[in-house]
Amino acid sequence: MDTVVIPKYSLDRDCTTLSRHILQQLNNYSGEAQDLSAIMARIGLAGKLIARRLSRAGLMDNVLGFTGESNIQGESVKKMDVYANEVFISVFKHSGLVCRLASEEMEKPFYIPENCPIGRYTLLYDPIDGSSNVDINLNVGSIFSIRQQEGEDLDGKAEDLLQDGRKQVAAGYILYGPATVLVYTMGKGVHSFFLDPSLGEFILAEENIRIPEHGSVYSVNEGNFWHWDEGYRNYIRYVHRHEGYTGRYSGALVADVHRILTQGGVFLYPGSTDKPEGKLRLLYEVAPLAFIIEQAGGKATNGRDNILDIVPKTLHQRTPVILGSPKDVDLVQSFL
Ligand code: AHG
Ligand code: MN
Ligand code: MN
């Protein structure tokens, strides 16, 4: 009788899905592990909905462009910002998983009393990062951070969120590029997943990603050169005058940080004379990315303190940031 040969690899990968990976990471099936796995699956669902809308945006009416409104930061809001903000709310509203959502697009957190206290977490997020890229079909991202809900927050002051970045239970980002990639950490390494559109699943691509010690890329908006302190200008003069450095800046933090995470280098958004705190927001942009970078062996600082040690005074507080490969962050700091 002929032997039936079972192909060793019937799939390209062994197809570890995002939610299974979380359970494996936590190594148990406790209520907490199940909740975190379910939260991550919902974040994945939000990512799939946003990726789908972005991929069709040019074919639909009323998806691209500005709404005509400004957000709490005084920035013009795009239709995709509003859509993506609402996607996160709608995937979590009736989930019983999170008690509150706080985002760049909402002055006060969106409180879901019916989910409390079963939903023991708060989700902080930047629904569309790099929204100037949306209308021209370039990379954008979403950034997320999960924190424990501590007590009630009926007045929306979010005081329990005003704690350092080490309080993050999990954090990560979704990059909408040629493929959609989700990268997360729960404090046990950094892991990436690619969206397989035919399966509708995020499939494990790389576990325990390590950032190179050094990379050639420096990523910064040099248009602000004359608004920075002299130290930053001297760093830029240094990389201009030495071999082995190259500039890359996409206008979307998630894309620039993803490049640096995988290939090394440094991302900077310094403060300027008129905006000493810079542009980027601590709680839902910089702290989650700092958590990722640090878990991958990199560094993240505001030039003086470790980003993860900064205790914000307000929900939408901004911070200067230098993050990336340890040697490149040290090099920038040596000029400050
Ligand atoms: P957002 O679209 O969420 O407001 O964030 C934009 C951020 C970030 O993605 C990017 O690195 C930076 O703003 C670009 O700002 P500049 O145009 O000032 O360089
Ligand atoms: Mn952003
Ligand atoms: Mn945004």
Side-chain angles (χ1 to χ4, degrees):
M1 200 175 81
D2 290 344
T3 333
V4 180
V5 180
I6 300 171
K8 198 167 169 211
Y9 300 105
S10 51
L11 291 164
D12 294 343
R13 296 184 185 278
D14 74 349
C15 275
T16 300
T17 60
L18 181 58
S19 25
R20 197 174 106 201
H21 193 260
I22 310 271
L23 291 172
Q24 282 172 359
Q25 282 271 301
L26 294 169
N27 205 16
N28 68 57
Y29 290 89
S30 64
E32 196 185 341
Q34 304 271 3
D35 279 0
L36 284 169
S37 165
I39 289 172
M40 207 59 87
R42 298 261 166 167
I43 291 171
L45 174 60
K48 289 178 226 173
L49 288 162
I50 294 166
R52 185 177 66 175
R53 184 125 173 139
L54 286 168
S55 71
R56 297 178 184 168
L59 302 167
M60 293 161 74
D61 285 335
N62 262 325
V63 174
L64 299 177
F66 291 100
T67 62
E69 311 278 310
S70 293
N71 65 13
I72 172 72
Q73 339 275 339
E75 294 161 350
S76 301
V77 175
K78 293 224 153 149
K79 291 173 190 162
M80 267 311 293
D81 291 321
V82 175
Y83 172 82
N85 190 56
E86 285 171 3
V87 161
F88 277 93
I89 293 174
S90 66
V91 302
F92 280 105
K93 205 167 177 181
H94 303 293
S95 67
L97 291 165
V98 305
C99 195
R100 193 175 44 178
L101 294 115
S103 104
E104 176 183 290
E105 304 302 335
M106 301 186 287
E107 180 176 1
K108 287 185 174 179
F110 186 92
Y111 198 42
I112 318 172
E114 62 271 28
N115 281 0
C116 313
I118 324 156
R120 297 185 297 269
Y121 301 97
T122 289
L123 179 78
L124 290 123
Y125 64 110
D126 177 357
I128 296 283
D129 171 67
S131 48
S132 76
N133 284 359
V134 161
D135 294 345
I136 47 171
N137 190 35
L138 293 184
N139 290 166
V140 291
S142 300
I143 308 174
F144 59 88
S145 167
I146 299 165
R147 292 184 181 228
Q148 209 84 47
Q149 173 86 22
E150 294 182 14
E152 289 194 334
D153 180 27
L154 294 170
D155 58 5
K157 285 198 179 139
E159 274 163 3
D160 62 303
L161 293 175
L162 307 181
Q163 299 194 56
D164 63 69
R166 301 191 193 281
K167 290 274 179 183
Q168 295 177 100
V169 175
Y173 59 80
I174 303 163
L175 170 61
Y176 310 102
T180 299
V181 183
L182 187 150
V183 176
Y184 87 90
T185 185
M186 280 193 317
K188 294 179 176 183
V190 177
H191 320 290
S192 68
F193 296 74
F194 273 88
L195 177 62
D196 181 333
S198 65
L199 294 174
E201 288 276 9
F202 282 99
I203 304 296
L204 180 63
E206 196 180 341
E207 260 182 324
N208 298 313
I209 299 171
R210 301 301 293 170
I211 188 170
E213 284 278 293
H214 159 69
S216 60
V217 166
Y218 67 98
S219 186
V220 64
N221 185 343
E222 287 194 53
N224 297 327
F225 188 86
W226 290 107
H227 300 280
W228 299 330
D229 283 347
E230 190 62 12
Y232 287 101
R233 287 204 286 269
N234 284 335
Y235 165 72
I236 295 297
R237 289 179 182 119
Y238 178 91
V239 293
H240 284 178
R241 287 169 187 162
H242 288 76
E243 291 279 321
Y245 293 97
T246 188
R248 291 283 186 276
Y249 191 74
S250 75
L253 174 66
V254 167
D256 291 325
V257 170
H258 188 68
R259 182 201 297 277
I260 283 159
L261 173 70
T262 48
Q263 299 182 341
V266 63
F267 176 92
L268 304 86
Y269 207 113
S272 51
T273 30
D274 52 336
K275 290 184 189 159
E277 298 306 310
K279 177 178 185 187
L280 302 174
R281 279 65 44 126
L282 178 66
L283 281 169
Y284 43 80
E285 289 185 313
V286 177
L289 296 175
F291 191 14
I292 292 275
I293 290 292
E294 209 169 285
Q295 279 292 313
K299 288 188 177 178
T301 168
N302 64 0
R304 195 187 60 229
D305 302 316
N306 186 314
I307 291 290
L308 294 180
D309 291 330
I310 301 174
V311 178
K313 293 194 175 63
T314 61
L315 179 61
H316 298 286
Q317 184 167 314
R318 298 171 196 261
T319 178
V321 62
I322 306 159
L323 62 77
S325 296
K327 286 193 172 150
D328 298 300
V329 172
D330 289 348
L331 178 65
V332 179
Q333 276 200 291
S334 70
F335 287 92
L336 304 183

